[in-house]
């Protein structure tokens, strides 16, 4: 998951107010495009998942690989240098990213992984924003319980 909810509370989507020197939808389109460029395999997906959150699915990727991809996404979006007056990240749009990984059906459900990623997202925000954060170990489950892949390459 990655998001910038602070922008959403100041510039609600329904008002059409401009933010980041761009209308909100144009800002989101640029953010999505920059994020998509960091996914290097055809089977990897990214899409909007709620107001200003996006979800990336990196098939067959362990937590280490997901964190590498997440950091590329974070850097790419910050590198767009889209002006944002309320951003704590040098006045530009930036994202926080929460990562989870696991094999669905063996130990994890889809809901488990979504919740772990969402928890990690908010942990990243609590630690200062414009950062990535891995899922926490829970209930004896091992971090990154997916097979390694080349997604991070």
């Amino acid at each position: 998951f990655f998001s910038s909810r602070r922008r959403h509370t100041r510039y609600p989507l329904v008002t059409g107010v401009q933010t980041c020197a761009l209308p909100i939808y144009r800002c989101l389109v640029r953010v999505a495009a920059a994020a998509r460029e960091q996914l290097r395999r055809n089977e990897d997906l990214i899409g909007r998942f709620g107001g200003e959150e996006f979800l990336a699915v990196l098939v067959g990727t362990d937590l280490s690989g997901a964190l590498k991809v997440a950091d590329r996404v974070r850097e790419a979006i910050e590198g767009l240098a889209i002006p944002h007056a309320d951003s704590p990240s040098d006045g530009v749009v930036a994202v926080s990213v929460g990562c989870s990984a696991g094999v669905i059906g063996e130990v994890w459900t889809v809901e488990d992984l979504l919740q772990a990623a969402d928890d990690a997202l908010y942990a990243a925000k609590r630690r200062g924003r414009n950062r990535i954060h891995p899922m926490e170990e829970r209930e004896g489950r091992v971090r990154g319980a997916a097979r390694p892949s080349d997604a991070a390459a």
Side-chain angles (χ1 to χ4, degrees):
F1 278 114
F2 59 94
S3 169
S4 179
R5 286 234 187 247
R6 183 174 180 168
R7 185 175 71 245
H8 184 65
T9 56
R10 171 144 179 154
Y11 304 99
L13 208 51
V14 294
T15 66
V17 172
Q18 290 199 351
T19 182
C20 331
L22 296 172
I24 188 74
Y25 68 90
R26 288 188 57 211
C27 182
L28 291 173
V29 166
R30 290 191 58 197
V31 164
R36 177 64 187 120
E37 289 173 4
Q38 304 312 307
L39 306 185
R40 299 185 175 153
R41 301 176 307 169
N42 289 336
E43 63 268 22
D44 293 337
L45 305 169
I46 192 160
R48 195 163 166 192
F49 192 77
E52 292 182 5
E53 293 183 349
F54 290 81
L55 175 68
V57 177
L58 310 173
V59 177
T61 302
D62 64 3
L63 187 58
S64 175
L67 290 168
K68 289 175 186 173
V69 172
D71 200 45
R72 286 198 315 258
V73 167
R74 186 196 59 75
E75 288 176 354
I77 292 167
E78 185 177 33
L80 293 173
I82 300 170
H84 184 342
D86 290 339
S87 175
S89 302
D90 297 325
V92 298
V93 170
V95 296
S96 296
V97 183
C99 293
S100 67
V103 177
I104 295 172
E106 291 182 14
V107 177
W108 299 95
T109 66
V110 171
E111 293 79 14
D112 289 336
L113 291 175
L114 287 172
Q115 186 62 55
D118 196 47
D119 292 347
L121 167 63
Y122 286 95
K125 289 179 175 188
R126 283 190 303 274
R127 287 173 171 79
R129 310 222 178 200
N130 192 27
R131 63 187 63 235
I132 61 171
H133 192 77
M135 65 191 284
E136 300 295 328
E137 292 183 37
R138 296 186 305 188
E139 302 171 24
R141 295 176 180 173
V142 179
R143 278 188 184 171
R147 63 188 187 280
S149 74
D150 61 349

